[in-house]
Amino acid sequence: MKILFPFFAVIVLVLLAMIGVGGANLQSLFGVVVPYAAVLIFIIGIIYRVIKWAKSPVPFSIVTTCGQQKTLPWIKQNKLENPSTTLHVIGRMALEVLFFRSLFRNIKGELKDSSRFIYGSDKWLWLAGIAFHYSFLIVLLRHIRLFAEPTPSFLHLLETFDGFLQIGIPRLFMTGIILLAAVTFLFLRRVYIPQVRYISLQADYFPLFLIIGIATTGILMRYFLKTDVVAVKELTMGLVSFNPVIPKGIGVIFYIHLFLVSTLFAYFPFSKLVHMGGVFLSPTRNLTGNSREYRRINPWNYPVKVHTYEEYEEEFREKMKMAEIPVEKE
Amino acid sequence: MAKFTAKPADLLKINFKTPKTDWMDTPVEIREHMYCHPAKAKDLETVGFPNIHEWKPTDENWNLPENWKEIVLSGIKERLQKYRSFHVFMDICVRCGACADKCHFYLGTGDPKNMPVLRAELLRSVYRKYFTTGGKIFGKTAGARELTEDVLKELWYYYYQCTECRRCSVFCPYGIDQAEITMMGRELTNLLGLQLGWIAGPVANCYMKGNHLGLEPHTIKSNIEFMLDDIETITGIRINPTFNRKGAEILFVTPSGDLFGVPGVYTAMGYLMLFHELGLDYTWSTYASEGGNFGFFTSNEMAKRLNYKIYAEAKRLGVKWILGGECGHMWRVLHQYMDTWNGPADFLEVPKSPITGTVFENAKSLKMIHVIEFAADLIKHGKLKLDPSRNDHLRVTFHDSCNVARGMGMFEEPRYVIKNVCNHFYEMPENTIREKTFCCGSGTGLNASENMELRMRGGLPRANAVKYVRDHYGVNMLANICAIDRATLQASMDYWVPGTAVAGIHELLANALVMKGEKERTTDLRGEPLPQKSTEKEGAE
């Protein structure tokens, strides 16, 4: 159920676009209204999310220290894993966001022969994660071609790099294939590792199916069910210039692709996909570990009821005197 | 409750298979030996905790206050607004599972709800139901569920099967820290009077008497006097420490666990001998006689209330700075919270070692340094005369305490000290030390005897790594810098790795410390014959 329901949800989305455009000719709904709405929801949703998080303060310095602290001068500090300056934090966050440092550390713990634990390196999740995110990024960047006239020059470079295998016409872009492979791996991992299957929610399968759908329709469109790219560009340029037009000759497959992308955009702020923004706000990673050196201020710090020394001495004065421990009042 | 009699071989039959039913449909089964007894009403009253009532974990009816659900939900709301960590961690988990096999409780029990991700989901599901639009509309399909009494029991059971060791956080791609979530979960149970005896007792003691063990001022002094007698027997030197002395340069604060029971007292003897040898102008305080903070396991507010006395006492006595003993969560609190709660400590000076002149700039605001930093600095400057061969009967490994490792990053200092006072030092496997260190399994107030199965299961990954160095290098001593470790690891070692003893580093340091005017030592601090002495003796015979 957990897997089937999200799977069929994506199938329904595909059918909606297929029937909506192919049967009911709702091109302007699926080509203009839905994408605009989706982008709007995405932007407002993300801003809303981030503002909501940012409104909660970070009262304490709760950085997770994964390396040697700053201490005596002859002990080497691990500046990236136990940052004590903003520069160190930027370095740590860069490693985290660009290279998934924490996930790279991953190890697998297993009980062998019912008696000893062994911990082996386990980088598959890191590899699939990084392949997925980077290929997704490059695929996304390649799409700028559809939204800019003339095409920015860095895109040519990117495309040359992406298609350097020179296979087929149009040239095969590796990132599309890597994206599909990585996302499929992430799905299979969820299904095949019992523990991961156990923790998975429908909300974990849905975006995977959605992205598989997006990548598949994209690949189909580029290599198999050729779409009129010139017409597509006319549509996308119309969208970015707020002067939408619906050109003739765009295949249904494009509208399916666009509808799935729109769904992803609209779904983004309400789902776990907001980890994209949240990773920057994680207090265990983005704080400095120098709270002994500089006092951290808690904005809602309030006075508390304490048991004072006077009250303490009041209770124990006689016993203290007997034990020859100095007291304030004789 | 029947006595815990399971043998190690029984506990090692760990079932890592996941249940057939979905976790939301698998009701919690509260098992004997896996939880601690409820708090005593009088302890909760002492500090004014709310909703005190009679209840038993195994009972069907927990006698919850009528508006318990409101209390929990408004408690969640308040904490979402106060802690960004909590708010962000509720939203951004992608359930990748990288944390799953990092938790010592999961590894030791195989219970999927002990995977940090799922332990967090227990609370996240409630959060989604009541605080997110998606959860309100889509319910279970969005991973949301109603807050029922069973859900509350499940939260209670599993949030007291987490020692807040933060190992999961090290591996999480977003740094999600189960300790933060557990702390919130425990604050919520605390609002309902669902506290543990082993937490509430020390909290009440600490509040009224100054320390967790409830040692009264004269008892502290007499406990230390017993140690002084032993030190005199071993070294021929009589030490005269002071208590609550105004005008001392340094206030020394250590967990009260060091003042009571074996092997903590040997560590305390180590401090006493080191400070005497240096001629340090310091004092103990009977009022601020606890560095540890069990309040940290109830609520942020309670932790602050207990921590208050350290600065207050430093001010009253007019010391220049504060020196802290070997402890785990104490240093998490001191490093990451104390100055924020009870600072600024502007009446103190930046700590400066009177022996070496080293100024501890890294503690210039907190005004408090760790005794291991202090000792490492002394050794580096050649201020101590050490004879490490006196520890030659010990083959030592070092256990990084979770909180010191992941809340401070103190890795080199303790190793530097050990290597200078012991000739035989062996590291445990690299994936089980430093920031990847395993918990003793009994932290955060879970060091009771009634939950021995939980403790042994939770301690298994740590013990397993010790077993590795015992089998490969003949290690027989597990050194550490945490009072809870010293109090609990011995039980775990006896169970899983018999023949391995547990010690604080200052015990080892004091063994090696050649003191001015000492008589020829024949035993270590435990009264065990010194290695070279016994061979000489054998030779003479």
Side-chain angles (χ1 to χ4, degrees), chain A residues 151-273:
Chain A
T151 310
S153 54
F154 83 93
L155 274 184
H156 296 297
L157 199 70
L158 195 70
E159 288 177 0
T160 311
F161 176 72
D162 201 348
F164 90 103
L165 286 179
Q166 307 267 356
I167 300 172
I169 292 175
R171 213 161 30 160
L172 178 76
F173 285 139
M174 286 177 299
T175 46
I177 306 301
I178 297 172
L179 173 62
L180 193 58
V183 77
T184 307
F185 175 86
L186 292 174
F187 167 69
L188 291 176
R189 181 181 169 275
R190 267 196 198 282
V191 177
Y192 278 108
I193 303 175
Q195 277 76 10
V196 183
R197 186 169 65 235
Y198 200 63
I199 58 174
S200 295
L201 300 173
Q202 300 195 9
D204 296 310
Y205 292 110
F206 179 67
L208 285 173
F209 288 130
L210 198 56
I211 293 165
I212 290 174
I214 290 167
T216 311
T217 49
I219 288 168
L220 278 177
M221 198 172 9
R222 179 172 165 86
Y223 303 104
F224 302 101
L225 311 167
K226 312 272 160 96
T227 315
D228 184 349
V229 184
V230 179
V232 167
K233 182 145 184 177
E234 208 183 328
L235 174 81
T236 51
M237 287 308 293
L239 287 173
V240 281
S241 59
F242 296 104
N243 195 7
V245 281
I246 300 291
K248 292 231 171 338
I250 301 179
V252 175
I253 186 75
F254 167 78
Y255 286 99
I256 297 172
H257 183 70
L258 184 61
F259 188 54
L260 294 181
V261 171
S262 300
T263 310
L264 184 70
F265 267 67
Y267 177 69
F268 206 98
F270 306 101
S271 65
K272 68 170 191 175
L273 303 179

Side-chain angles (χ1 to χ4, degrees), chain A residues 62 189 282 285 302 307, chain B residues 96 166 169 174 287 301 304:
Chain A
I62 53 161
R189 181 181 169 275
S282 182
R285 294 289 186 273
Y302 54 88
H307 189 66
Chain B
C96 71
R166 309 179 96 199
S169 163
Y174 318 114
Y287 170 61
E301 183 178 292
K304 181 181 166 183

